[in-house]
Amino acid sequence: MAKIIVVTSGKGGVGKTTSSASFGSGLALRGFKTVIIDFDVGLRNLDLIMGCERRVVYDLINVVNQEATLNQALIKDKHCDNLFVLPASQTRDKDALSEEGVERVLKDLSAMDFEYIICDSPAGIEHGAVMALTFADEAIIVTNPEVSSVRDSDRILGIIQAKSRRALNGKEPVKEHLLITRYVPKRVEAGEMLSHTDVQEILRIPLVGIIPESESVLHASNSGNPAIHIEGTEVSEAYKDVVSRFLGEEVPLRFTDYEKPGFLQRIFGGK
């Protein structure tokens, strides 16, 4: 039985799709058959980040409406043999997503022996976002360390607890994980940004990882290459840590401390 994981946020622009791409890629690199579904109907960009935009022929709405099969719509990732992408439609409205259709797609994917189904949710609480979280077994809440982003994430937690199938059916609740992105220890030290402990104290859910702010994320997105594949970068290592923690491994928390430049660094151009 596939495990369904929604990657969601209350606010746009926090790195949710970037995280979906790297998290799904990380699971596939660990040997799990994984599919990432883009639920952002009308504004799709997962295919761009995954570098498969030119191969999109059919999309999620075509499959929901039974205009195409999953085998026709699924795109095999160019980096991982056991990773697939199901893109969103750019031309349909989010209301084209029906609960019955989405449920059928998820059941069919499970029958195809996928072990993880990653649902890349649009930001906020509109129809597409609710469809993405309805059937979730687990949720990764992506937030930036700023008050407005954390507040919106708190709102999303309430939606998950109220509207997921697990909540409505009285089952064990959706397991929640906190992922903090665009973290800058120097700004935390200066009091310009919330610390990861501040964010945890507000949201009260387990921390699965911290992704440092880095230009390599933008470069990776522009080149259609999930950030986890940019070897030798802190961002790549951070996403690998996220996957390890998600799988239950004990991994020390990294990229949280600001190391002040030494005297010689300050003199000779250190920041």
Side-chain angles (χ1 to χ4, degrees):
M1 178 68 71
K3 184 167 286 188
I4 301 170
I5 302 149
V6 63
V7 181
T8 185
S9 67
K11 186 179 180 182
V14 299
K16 178 177 43 55
T17 298
T18 295
S19 295
S20 295
S22 285
F23 179 67
S25 296
L27 288 171
L29 288 169
R30 295 290 292 268
F32 298 100
K33 187 177 181 182
T34 304
V35 58
I36 313 175
I37 307 175
D38 190 348
F39 275 83
D40 201 355
V41 177
L43 293 171
R44 78 175 189 221
N45 56 17
L46 176 65
D47 54 306
L48 290 171
I49 290 176
M50 299 294 294
C52 61
E53 70 278 6
R54 294 179 183 176
R55 289 187 278 157
V56 176
V57 178
Y58 295 106
D59 55 53
L60 173 61
I61 300 301
N62 292 134
V63 180
V64 165
N65 291 339
Q66 298 182 294
E67 300 161 348
T69 66
L70 273 171
N71 284 326
Q72 289 176 301
L74 286 171
I75 301 171
K76 192 172 184 295
D77 183 64
K78 58 188 178 184
H79 295 103
C80 308
D81 287 340
N82 50 349
L83 179 62
F84 294 81
V85 175
L86 182 54
S89 171
Q90 280 186 311
T91 58
R92 305 289 185 95
D93 186 86
K94 290 178 174 63
D95 290 336
L97 285 172
S98 68
E99 190 167 313
E100 296 78 12
V102 170
E103 183 174 20
R104 186 181 65 251
V105 169
L106 294 174
K107 285 183 176 178
D108 288 347
L109 286 169
S110 185
M112 293 170 72
D113 296 325
F114 280 100
E115 295 168 274
Y116 287 102
I117 300 172
I118 313 301
C119 301
D120 180 33
S121 169
I125 56 174
E126 44 78 26
H127 184 69
V130 173
M131 283 296 98
L133 64 83
T134 294
F135 301 97
D137 298 309
E138 303 192 34
I140 296 177
I141 314 301
V142 184
T143 186
N144 292 160
E146 57 182 55
V147 173
S148 62
S149 182
V150 175
R151 180 192 63 190
D152 290 345
S153 293
D154 203 21
R155 172 67 171 148
I156 285 295
L157 288 170
I159 297 293
I160 292 170
Q161 292 159 8
K163 294 194 174 183
S164 69
R165 273 282 181 92
R166 282 179 169 271
L168 294 173
N169 293 338
K171 294 183 178 180
E172 184 178 340
V174 174
K175 187 176 181 180
E176 298 157 340
H177 309 267
L178 173 62
L179 178 61
I180 302 174
T181 55
R182 306 187 70 175
Y183 198 79
V184 186
K186 183 179 180 179
R187 293 188 63 194
V188 173
E189 181 85 7
E192 300 171 355
M193 182 176 278
L194 295 175
S195 71
H196 64 91
T197 53
D198 292 333
V199 178
Q200 273 190 284
E201 285 178 9
I202 296 169
L203 297 181
R204 300 287 181 175
I205 59 174
L207 181 66
V208 75
I210 293 175
I211 311 300
E213 176 75 277
S214 174
E215 289 184 4
S216 62
V217 173
L218 180 60
H219 296 323
S221 297
N222 287 340
S223 62
N225 193 23
I228 198 170
H229 293 303
I230 311 300
E231 293 294 339
T233 64
E234 289 187 345
V235 168
S236 174
E237 292 302 309
Y239 276 118
K240 289 175 184 177
D241 286 355
V242 168
V243 174
S244 295
R245 289 192 198 94
F246 179 84
L247 294 174
E249 299 168 15
E250 293 288 336
V251 181
L253 199 60
R254 298 191 281 172
F255 316 117
T256 60
D257 298 325
Y258 172 56
E259 294 185 11
K260 295 181 179 179
F263 178 71
L264 292 178
Q265 285 180 297
R266 292 198 299 271
I267 291 177
F268 296 107
K271 294 182 181 179

